[in-house]
Amino acid sequence: MSDHTISRNMLGMLKVFNFVLYGALAIYSTFFALYLKDLGISNVQIGLLVAGGPLIGLVANPFWAYWADRLRNNKRILIICLIGNFICMQFVFMTESYTLIYTLMLFYFAFQSPLFTQSNSLILNVIEGTNRKFGEFRAWGSLGWALIAVAAGPIIGWLGIGKLWIVFDVMLLFAIFFTFLMPSGNERPLKQKFSNKGYLQVFQNRYFLMFVCLGVLISIPNSINMTFMGIYIKGLGGSDTVVGWSAFATAILEVPVFLLLDKYLKKNSRTMLGWLVIISALFSVRWLLMSLATSAFQVIFIQLLHSITFGGYYYIGTQLTSHLVPAEYRSSGQAVYGLTWGGVSGIVAGVLGGWMFENLGASTLYQICFAITLCGVLGFFLLRQLFLRTGGSVGASNRQETM
């Protein structure tokens, strides 16, 4: 696919699509825990509910990715999942029963879990062979997350958290509409046929698998923070508007981070692994500062580190995955990478995070997050050393690293 086959309008629509998709996901991620809290659901129960998402995602994410690769159509998968999201959440907002909410959310997570990875794969597949960069489009997702979250804060404060469904539904319907305007994605040449045997290459690349496993240590604290940050801010005296501003702070500076990485990051495994060591170390500093926070406004300023930590890790991890996994299995590779943020780590974050928040307090919880992340820093350092010592062979992948 070349620049000549992608119209300027189509590229513009791809940016708008990312804006509204991430805006809808920001409303859910930022305010849904507060909605549950308003229903009288405890922190432990919220943690168990959130843990259900990654549990379902362990199966759902690879399932949808497999069919995206097989059908060569990311757009179709996104449409099915967004409509499934919308239908499930209507029933969730109609009940106050924890058991029923939990059951319905399991169905919701089956459709929600692949949205990030499928949208990333759509971008990568559409721009492949052009001079366009991933960050140029993913930055619009960060803008949507930041601006919609901060705009939704006072609106939800005015409507009441019980009317969260109004704001969420509007944004999700916009996302569904713009998905229909997208190209299919994954339009690889016919000579690159899908095969189940080749599909196994995704799971035979030792560097990729080690990268994924180490990512769990970085993502557990991040998942805990995403789940309980709103409740933490409210406990420090913050309002719904302050919660919205905290979400704004997490995403707005991702835009220059993505654009700078587009321009200056060297797309080789050696360099990217080195940057993962640095970014993981910054993650540990972030959780240490969170453990020392004494006011809601301090949390907002600490959240500014999100742009460098999560933004940098997310971008580099996406590029490293694309580098290590054959192009015809890109959706599946991105799905496996996505499981580091929404799979095993999310289960641990939901179950243990909720218990620790309830019984140990926020300060101790973030100190534990600090220690877990330090283990990830050490792991990435050792992985890079192994990579350099073995000459950069990527094992089962069809690519070799140029040293």
Side-chain angles (χ1 to χ4, degrees):
M1 186 180 294
S2 67
D3 279 322
H4 297 295
T5 62
I6 306 174
S7 69
R8 192 175 298 272
N9 287 339
M10 185 61 71
L11 293 173
M13 284 296 177
L14 187 57
K15 294 175 181 179
V16 174
F17 163 72
N18 276 275
F19 184 92
V20 295
L21 173 65
Y22 278 80
L25 294 173
I27 291 171
Y28 164 78
S29 179
T30 305
F31 297 102
F32 189 63
L34 297 179
Y35 172 82
L36 296 175
K37 194 73 174 177
D38 188 64
L39 294 180
I41 297 175
S42 70
N43 293 331
V44 173
Q45 288 176 313
I46 292 173
L48 290 173
L49 189 151
V50 172
L55 182 63
I56 295 298
L58 289 174
V59 177
N61 211 350
F63 170 81
W64 291 115
Y66 174 86
W67 283 105
D69 282 332
R70 192 174 186 87
L71 299 174
R72 299 191 297 174
N73 199 313
N74 301 109
K75 170 184 172 178
R76 185 178 302 172
I77 301 302
L78 283 166
I79 290 173
I80 293 171
C81 290
L82 284 168
I83 292 176
N85 274 198
F86 183 82
I87 293 172
C88 291
M89 287 305 290
Q90 303 320 298
F91 290 103
V92 169
F93 287 126
M94 290 179 185
T95 181
E96 296 184 3
S97 165
Y98 176 77
T99 302
L100 191 53
I101 288 175
Y102 192 93
T103 303
L104 290 167
M105 288 302 294
L106 293 181
F107 286 97
Y108 167 81
F109 290 133
F111 295 105
Q112 189 265 352
S113 59
L115 292 179
F116 288 115
T117 55
Q118 286 301 309
S119 62
N120 286 344
S121 295
L122 179 65
I123 296 171
L124 290 167
N125 286 321
V126 168
I127 67 175
E128 186 171 15
T130 75
N131 61 358
R132 302 287 179 161
K133 303 292 187 179
F134 173 76
E136 173 187 351
F137 297 90
R138 178 55 182 80
W140 281 86
S142 298
L143 278 174
W145 187 288
L147 297 178
I148 298 302
V150 76
I155 294 174
I156 292 170
W158 174 64
L159 291 173
I161 194 68
K163 298 292 181 62
L164 177 64
W165 65 271
I166 296 176
V167 184
F168 178 80
D169 283 3
V170 169
M171 287 304 304
L172 200 58
L173 286 172
F174 272 118
I176 293 171
F177 172 77
F178 281 105
T179 306
F180 277 97
L181 303 179
M182 292 297 99
S184 65
N186 214 2
E187 298 169 349
R188 63 184 183 274
L190 292 177
K191 67 178 181 179
Q192 294 179 305
K193 292 183 179 180
F194 183 96
S195 72
N196 290 326
K197 182 178 179 180
Y199 179 76
L200 295 177
Q201 290 183 17
V202 176
F203 306 98
Q204 293 173 345
N205 185 316
R206 59 172 177 168
Y207 289 111
F208 178 59
L209 292 181
M210 285 188 284
F211 157 62
V212 167
C213 291
L214 287 172
V216 172
L217 295 176
I218 307 300
S219 61
I220 286 175
N222 189 74
S223 297
I224 290 173
N225 183 66
M226 290 291 290
T227 301
F228 297 103
M229 183 182 63
I231 298 173
Y232 184 36
I233 289 173
K234 296 282 279 190
L236 291 173
S239 64
D240 291 332
T241 300
V242 174
V243 173
W245 277 107
S246 70
F248 176 87
T250 64
I252 191 60
L253 292 181
E254 283 183 355
V255 176
V257 169
F258 286 143
L259 297 179
L260 287 171
L261 288 171
D262 265 348
K263 187 172 183 179
Y264 295 110
L265 178 68
K266 293 182 179 179
K267 305 300 193 300
N268 63 72
S269 299
R270 177 181 59 184
T271 300
M272 289 190 280
L273 285 170
W275 274 108
L276 288 179
V277 175
I278 297 171
I279 290 170
S280 298
L282 290 174
F283 257 123
S284 66
V285 172
R286 180 180 169 191
W287 306 137
L288 181 61
L289 291 174
M290 286 289 281
S291 72
L292 301 174
T294 57
S295 74
F297 289 101
Q298 287 179 357
V299 172
I300 291 178
F301 286 109
I302 295 170
Q303 284 296 101
L304 290 172
L305 285 172
H306 179 92
S307 59
I308 302 172
T309 53
F310 177 77
Y313 191 99
Y314 184 92
Y315 180 99
I316 294 173
T318 300
Q319 295 290 341
L320 185 60
T321 298
S322 182
H323 187 73
L324 295 176
V325 174
E328 59 268 33
Y329 308 104
R330 178 174 288 145
S331 291
S332 299
Q334 293 296 334
V336 175
Y337 168 58
L339 290 179
T340 65
W341 295 100
V344 176
S345 59
I347 297 171
V348 174
V351 176
L352 292 183
W355 181 87
M356 288 189 292
F357 193 97
E358 190 84 19
N359 295 280
L360 302 179
S363 180
T364 301
L365 171 63
Y366 279 109
Q367 289 172 7
I368 294 172
C369 289
F370 167 71
I372 293 172
T373 307
L374 282 182
C375 294
V377 175
L378 177 61
F380 275 121
F381 175 79
L382 294 176
L383 175 59
R384 185 173 185 273
Q385 295 303 110
L386 174 65
F387 184 88
L388 295 175
R389 190 163 58 246
T390 58
S393 172
V394 294
S397 175
N398 65 346
R399 308 181 187 200
Q400 296 292 323
E401 184 69 20
T402 300
M403 299 298 292

